[in-house]
Amino acid sequence: MMQPLPGFRDFLPEPLPFPDSWSADLRRHIFESWRASARRYGFREYDGPPLEPLELFTLKSGEEIVRQLFNFRDKGDRDVSLRPEMTPTLARLVATVERHYRKPIKWFAIPQLFRYEKHQKGRLREHFQFNADIFGEADPAADAELVALLIDSLRGLGLTADDFVIRLSSRRAWQGFQERLGVDAARAYDFYQAVDKLDREKEAVTDAKFREFGTSLDAVRQFIAAAEPTAELRRVLDDLASRGMSEFVRIDYGIIRGLAYYTGVVFEAFDRKGEFRAIAGGGRYDQLVKLVSGGKVDLPGLGFGMGDVVLTELLKSRGLLPALGGVLDDYVIIEDETLRGAALAIVQRLRSGGRRVDFSLTAMKGDKQFKRALELGASRTIRVERGADGKTVLKVRDLVTRAEHEVSPEVVV
Ligand code: HAM
């Protein structure tokens, strides 16, 4: 049997045939929750193409993502790539249309993204990512608004402060650290990469890297442990405290973000127990629009991305998957085939009235049709019968109370 490519998923309707199947119903539930949270914060939805010119991503995402590109030459000899992240597309889009929108621009999207990663827990070769970004506001109030949205979109799915924490940091704090060491600005990204890999690489390797910069693993660890908030982080913390959200965040300078374009506040969301990889990550990128527009548009930006893969694992492990069974209102039962025409008219009337309706497409025993209604999770069955006077009557049964009553076809909706 043909299988999907490694790291790609099929999404199936519930109930799922195998424990490791991906649920299309759960995916919709998550997307709806993300959308509802974004709207509560006044974000508007946008989208862009899944395939882009290669150079959009080689420009400023940083080597980590460039190594993972799904790129190829198209039939018109263009170098193209599937999008590994949304931010460069968004920066291009905003640079093109920003003058038509009032600032701050608050936009969100739920793109499918593609990265040629090593297949591992929490990392696939495609994933869906909730992206929320703000443009045109340099004040830390915007960073706080974004972090608050991240918190509320996780809370919207039933997660609490016992389940997750946002680790807040700032590249500015690290800039100060580097300036004291005299690190060349051109090598700042290499330094960030070393910090980003702190937990994943052998201590001796990391220490050697830091020694090249004139410091050591110990000094870096001390700086992280002190966690002295910068002025902008102080503002973000105070803002979140006013919203009653302090318990969801903490300063952690171990967070630096792998992507090259961040300039200020950065953050990642993790599960409290530290079982999973990052749930979400983001930060401020005040130079990206300028870079992507070749210097024509200069607009500060900030945002985050939350993937569906780790999130699903976390919801599963915390028992927060909702019951996602039937989504049917009425199942119409036809026992007398001479009434099929009348039954189709009823089905049509119900559907036009907005009800979700199913029925057997071919002749089937009545009890089988009833069983099917239960399997599909219908809330009512509607039995089409002929009354004593020869007119069609409908027997409506509530499948919760099992009570049945008779109605005429005119009032069934
Ligand atoms: P990122 O940290 O690369 O940031 O990805 C954000 C989140 O997407 C991760 O925390 C993770 O949950 C999920 N994710 C990333 N790669 C994979 C993968 N291969 N499989 C499953 N899930 C994955 C960005 O992409 C930035 N563009 C986010 C952003 C938006 N920054 C500003 N605005």
Side-chain angles (χ1 to χ4, degrees):
M1 207 74 83
M2 291 262 275
Q3 296 289 327
L5 289 167
F8 284 77
R9 297 171 287 175
D10 294 322
F11 288 89
L12 301 173
E14 308 250 355
L16 298 176
F18 312 110
D20 59 349
S21 303
W22 288 87
S23 164
D25 293 312
L26 178 63
R27 184 176 76 173
R28 192 189 53 249
H29 166 75
I30 290 173
F31 285 11
E32 279 169 5
S33 178
W34 281 345
R35 283 203 168 88
S37 299
R39 290 205 193 99
R40 278 198 289 274
Y41 277 71
F43 282 66
R44 304 291 309 275
E45 190 159 359
Y46 71 95
D47 203 353
L51 197 66
E52 290 273 23
L54 177 63
E55 61 166 8
L56 182 66
F57 304 115
T58 51
L59 210 55
K60 192 72 194 192
S61 291
E63 46 179 297
E64 193 164 309
I65 273 202
V66 170
R67 255 188 280 121
Q68 299 170 342
L69 286 177
F70 254 103
N71 59 305
F72 55 95
R73 180 154 296 169
D74 77 1
K75 288 176 181 167
D77 263 347
R78 294 175 204 90
D79 282 315
V80 296
S81 174
L82 287 170
R83 56 188 176 193
E85 56 157 341
M86 197 61 176
T87 315
T89 295
L90 176 59
R92 170 180 62 67
L93 204 62
V94 164
T96 316
V97 301
E98 57 84 22
R99 64 182 183 282
H100 302 286
Y101 294 91
R102 282 189 192 286
K103 313 299 176 304
I105 290 171
K106 296 166 89 179
W107 283 6
F108 81 95
I110 308 180
Q112 190 173 22
L113 306 177
F114 305 87
R115 298 183 189 180
Y116 203 89
E117 295 216 44
K118 251 195 274 148
H119 192 159
Q120 48 190 308
K121 189 166 178 274
R123 289 288 177 271
L124 301 174
R125 288 189 176 160
E126 53 73 25
H127 71 283
F128 291 90
Q129 199 187 78
F130 174 40
N131 274 250
D133 293 80
I134 302 177
F135 292 90
E137 186 49 77
D139 194 276
D143 304 67
E145 171 81 344
L146 198 67
V147 173
L149 169 57
L150 174 54
I151 292 167
D152 270 341
S153 33
L154 289 167
R155 284 209 288 193
L157 286 157
L159 295 161
T160 68
D162 293 332
D163 299 311
F164 73 91
V165 62
I166 316 288
R167 291 155 71 178
L168 271 181
S169 175
S170 174
R171 286 206 171 165
R172 271 189 236 274
W174 283 107
Q175 269 157 24
F177 184 89
Q178 292 181 14
E179 275 159 23
R180 287 193 292 281
L181 293 173
V183 173
D184 183 0
R187 295 200 58 207
Y189 181 57
D190 294 335
F191 186 90
Y192 294 146
Q193 289 276 69
V195 176
D196 189 46
K197 296 203 167 60
L198 208 63
D199 297 334
R200 279 174 274 159
E201 211 140 45
K202 288 206 182 74
E203 291 197 353
V205 177
T206 313
D207 190 52
K209 271 195 216 155
F210 285 131
R211 292 210 178 265
E212 273 179 45
F213 290 101
T215 182
S216 66
L217 180 56
D218 275 345
V220 165
R221 285 214 168 120
Q222 270 168 31
F223 178 74
I224 292 174
E228 198 51 55
T230 58
E232 42 167 6
L233 283 174
R234 188 73 272 155
R235 289 272 316 277
V236 174
L237 290 174
D238 290 346
D239 180 311
L240 292 172
S242 303
R243 303 177 196 228
M245 289 181 167
S246 296
E247 58 177 339
F248 293 97
V249 290
R250 74 173 148 83
I251 299 292
D252 184 343
Y253 288 153
I255 297 299
I256 192 76
R257 306 282 295 138
L259 294 159
Y261 46 67
Y262 294 112
T263 52
V265 170
V266 287
F267 51 87
E268 287 190 357
F270 284 91
D271 67 290
R272 281 270 180 200
K273 293 188 191 159
E275 288 172 61
F276 303 100
R277 304 211 28 176
I279 309 164
R284 185 173 271 283
Y285 48 90
D286 285 347
Q287 301 303 319
L288 187 62
V289 175
K290 196 170 166 187
L291 186 93
V292 168
S293 67
K296 289 196 193 73
V297 182
D298 191 0
L299 209 56
L302 60 155
F304 70 78
M306 174 176 359
D308 68 323
V309 180
V310 176
L311 181 66
T312 300
E313 285 172 353
L314 179 62
L315 292 175
K316 237 186 227 177
S317 81
R318 300 292 180 271
L320 288 171
L321 299 188
L324 293 163
V327 281
L328 203 59
D329 296 313
D330 301 326
Y331 192 93
V332 173
I333 295 177
I334 313 162
E335 273 183 289
D336 178 350
E337 281 297 320
T338 66
L339 290 175
R340 183 163 283 272
L344 287 174
I346 304 287
V347 167
Q348 189 55 32
R349 190 174 312 151
L350 287 163
R351 285 176 174 166
S352 305
R355 299 204 43 100
R356 295 165 296 187
V357 185
D358 208 354
F359 65 101
S360 175
L361 293 173
T362 52
M364 198 195 277
K365 282 213 176 84
D367 56 341
K368 280 224 173 118
Q369 292 184 54
F370 187 74
K371 248 177 90 183
R372 183 99 180 107
L374 293 177
E375 277 166 16
L376 291 171
S379 10
R380 309 191 301 180
T381 54
I382 299 174
R383 210 177 278 276
V384 185
E385 290 178 3
R386 202 181 301 282
D389 55 1
K391 284 207 182 123
T392 309
V393 293
L394 306 177
K395 300 251 176 75
V396 177
R397 187 183 291 281
D398 184 315
L399 289 183
V400 178
T401 62
R402 296 285 166 124
E404 192 177 66
H405 64 285
E406 203 176 288
V407 298
S408 80
E410 290 72 36
V411 299
V412 70
V413 178

